[in-house]
């Protein structure tokens, strides 16, 4: 992939009063040959904009981190099927080993890199307090890896790392036209009070949180706070990193699922998440083309109402292991041998202590 930095075209500058900021989705709308998403998709409007995003996106943690050419071909098929089914949102981070490189190569190969909605992340401190050099280098790296000729759609402060520095920097990048939207993320409910404080005071466009039929803490205060402050909500771990599927393996769906046209457990779990009207987009991750087809199917057909969502939870509570999902290893029965897994294994071998 060629080294290049983003610079707005004259036309883009004229469209945006000189800031170089395109409206959400403008790249997709103005790119020649752009494939339109199917009309029957469940979409959600990003607060404060006219942009409507498909309600199911694609995460890349672990699943896109690979050095295997054979696995890269499977990942290419995952991205192709996601796109063909109307998926447009792709979430990635430099934290995820080779995932950002893989996504960039696949997106360029499929010629969707300037049409997809890219949710990137900043995972950075610096050489000293308020040093923005590392973060700026990370942004340039993301632009290069994705072969972008436009601003990044969304940059998020990953897991609140260096958040006091990064959020003001993201606002600067947005003002300068380097990015379109900004946000913060976390996957651990223990940090939700702090995440909520940033939602309430930092003029965020997006907040990304861990939310699922099992882990429902975010709906108590954090997601309502996002709705009150006009902040879009992206959801990570909606399938609990394959742990939900693990406990229902071999079990039939409840009969009442037919009322919503649900035919797979993926639809069951994902429809529960996106039925929350404050949720903008859920981001399940997978490296299996068959699974991505099941995931994107969740953004078609009716969604459960409040009573049905409660019934869905009550049914899950009858399944052995549901109350232990949070303590299970991620991706049970699966193996990912990318950069992250190898580095983790190397430290584990050297260290006399490992977290339980």
């Amino acid at each position: 992939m060629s080294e290049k930095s983003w610079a707005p075209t004259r036309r883009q500058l004229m469209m945006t009063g000189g800031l170089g900021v395109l409206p959400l989705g403008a790249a997709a709308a103005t790119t020649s040959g752009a494939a339109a998403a199917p009309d029957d998709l469940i979409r959600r409007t990003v607060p404060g904009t006219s942009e409507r995003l498909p309600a199911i996106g694609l995460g890349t943690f672990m699943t896109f981190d690979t050095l295997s050419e054979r696995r890269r071909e499977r990942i290419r098929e995952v991205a192709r099927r996601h796109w063909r089914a109307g998926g447009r949102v792709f979430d990635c981070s430099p934290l995820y080993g080779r995932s950002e490189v893989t996504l960039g190569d696949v997106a360029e190969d499929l010629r969707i890199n300037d049409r997809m909605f890219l949710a990137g992340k900043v995972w950075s401190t610096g050489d000293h307090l308020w040093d923005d050099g590392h973060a700026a280098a990370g942004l340039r790296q993301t632009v290069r890896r994705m072969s972008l000729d436009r601003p990044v759609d969304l940059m998020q402060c990953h897991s609140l790392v260096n958040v006091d520095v990064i959020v003001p920097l993201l606002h600067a990048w947005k003002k300068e036209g380097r990015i379109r939207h900004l946000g913060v993320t976390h996957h651990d409910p223990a940090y939700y009070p702090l995440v909520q404080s940033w939602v309430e005071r930092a003029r965020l466009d997006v907040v990304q949180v861990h939310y699922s039929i099992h882990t429902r803490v975010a709906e108590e205060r954090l997601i309502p706070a996002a709705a009150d402050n006009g902040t879009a909500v992206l959801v990570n771990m909606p399938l609990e990193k394959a742990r939900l599927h693990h406990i229902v393996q071999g079990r039939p769906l409840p009969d009442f699922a037919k009322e919503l046209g649900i035919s797979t457990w993926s639809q069951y779990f994902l429809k529960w998440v996106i039925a929350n009207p404050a949720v903008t987009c859920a981001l399940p991750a997978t490296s299996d083309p068959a699974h991505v087809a099941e995931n994107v199917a969740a953004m078609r057909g009716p969604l459960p109402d409040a009573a049905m969502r409660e019934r869905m939870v009550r049914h899950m509570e009858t399944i052995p292991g549901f109350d232990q999902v949070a303590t299970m290893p991620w991706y049970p029965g699966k193996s990912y041998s990318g950069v992250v897994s190898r580095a983790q294994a190397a430290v584990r071998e050297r260290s006399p202590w490992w977290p339980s």
Side-chain angles (χ1 to χ4, degrees):
M1 189 175 294
S2 61
E3 297 283 312
K4 59 183 177 182
S5 59
W6 177 82
T9 66
R10 181 175 179 272
R11 178 173 177 270
Q12 290 170 340
L13 287 170
M14 291 175 65
M15 289 172 62
T16 57
L19 289 179
V21 184
L22 286 169
L24 275 170
T30 59
T31 301
S32 176
D39 292 335
D40 61 340
L41 297 184
I42 297 169
R43 295 180 174 85
R44 291 286 161 75
T45 301
V46 178
T49 78
S50 60
E51 174 70 4
R52 292 174 60 78
L53 296 179
I56 301 296
L58 185 62
T60 59
F61 177 64
M62 299 300 285
T63 56
F64 276 45
D65 180 21
T66 183
L67 299 170
S68 164
E69 190 58 38
R70 180 178 63 84
R71 188 176 288 269
R72 284 168 64 89
E73 282 303 307
R74 283 173 58 85
I75 292 170
R76 182 186 184 280
E77 183 62 13
V78 164
R80 189 189 71 83
R81 291 193 186 189
H82 179 71
W83 185 267
R84 295 278 295 183
R88 293 295 181 265
V89 181
F90 294 77
D91 180 83
C92 202
S93 173
L95 173 71
Y96 301 164
R98 293 281 297 178
S99 293
E100 194 174 60
V101 172
T102 301
L103 176 59
D105 288 346
V106 166
E108 188 172 24
D109 184 42
L110 296 175
R111 302 178 69 179
I112 63 173
N113 52 309
D114 273 328
R115 296 185 280 162
M116 66 184 185
F117 182 93
L118 176 64
K121 297 188 179 81
V122 178
W123 173 267
S124 178
T125 53
D127 288 334
H128 52 77
L129 187 61
W130 289 102
D131 172 27
D132 69 347
H134 292 198
L139 176 63
R140 290 193 297 271
Q141 176 176 265
T142 295
V143 169
R144 287 195 303 270
R145 286 174 170 177
M146 298 297 159
S147 296
L148 296 180
D149 291 317
R150 58 181 177 87
V152 178
D153 298 294
L154 167 65
M155 288 300 286
Q156 305 157 95
C157 180
H158 196 154
S159 295
L160 301 182
V161 171
N162 200 22
V163 64
D164 294 297
V165 173
I166 297 302
V167 166
L169 179 60
L170 293 177
H171 275 287
W173 287 353
K174 181 178 177 181
K175 178 182 177 181
E176 294 160 359
R178 298 172 182 269
I179 65 176
R180 297 194 182 102
H181 290 272
L182 63 100
V184 302
T185 83
H186 220 293
H187 69 280
D188 188 342
Y191 290 87
Y192 286 3
L194 183 56
V195 175
Q196 182 179 335
S197 74
W198 283 96
V199 168
E200 293 173 339
R201 63 191 172 92
R203 304 197 319 273
L204 304 178
D205 301 309
V206 173
V207 62
Q208 184 181 142
V209 296
H210 175 188
Y211 181 51
S212 75
I213 197 170
H214 172 271
T215 305
R216 305 186 296 277
V217 179
E219 70 183 18
E220 295 173 5
R221 299 184 62 181
L222 179 50
I223 291 178
D228 290 344
N229 285 272
T231 304
V233 177
L234 302 186
V235 171
N236 58 54
M237 297 175 63
L239 301 178
E240 293 290 346
K241 299 193 184 303
R243 294 177 293 185
L244 286 175
H245 281 85
H246 180 70
I247 65 169
V248 299
Q249 187 172 9
R251 290 181 173 271
L253 287 161
D255 288 340
F256 64 79
K258 297 176 184 177
E259 299 175 25
L260 298 169
I262 291 174
S263 60
T264 68
W265 282 108
S266 292
Q267 288 176 287
Y268 187 97
F269 299 136
L270 292 172
K271 278 182 177 286
W272 186 92
V273 170
I274 64 175
N276 185 322
V279 168
T280 308
C281 181
L283 300 164
T286 184
S287 59
D288 188 323
H291 291 170
V292 80
E294 294 181 3
N295 294 346
V296 293
M299 57 181 173
R300 288 185 170 82
L303 292 175
D305 59 16
M308 179 61 81
R309 292 180 86 233
E310 183 65 19
R311 188 178 183 185
M312 293 167 79
V313 172
R314 298 288 82 83
H315 177 77
M316 291 304 301
E317 290 176 340
T318 69
I319 295 178
F322 183 66
D323 61 341
Q324 301 169 26
V325 163
T327 62
M328 294 177 182
W330 290 350
Y331 300 114
K334 300 177 186 292
S335 176
Y336 296 103
S337 58
V339 172
V340 172
S341 293
R342 295 183 184 187
Q344 182 187 49
V347 173
R348 189 169 191 166
E349 184 176 345
R350 296 168 54 203
S351 177
W353 176 85
W354 196 257
S356 58

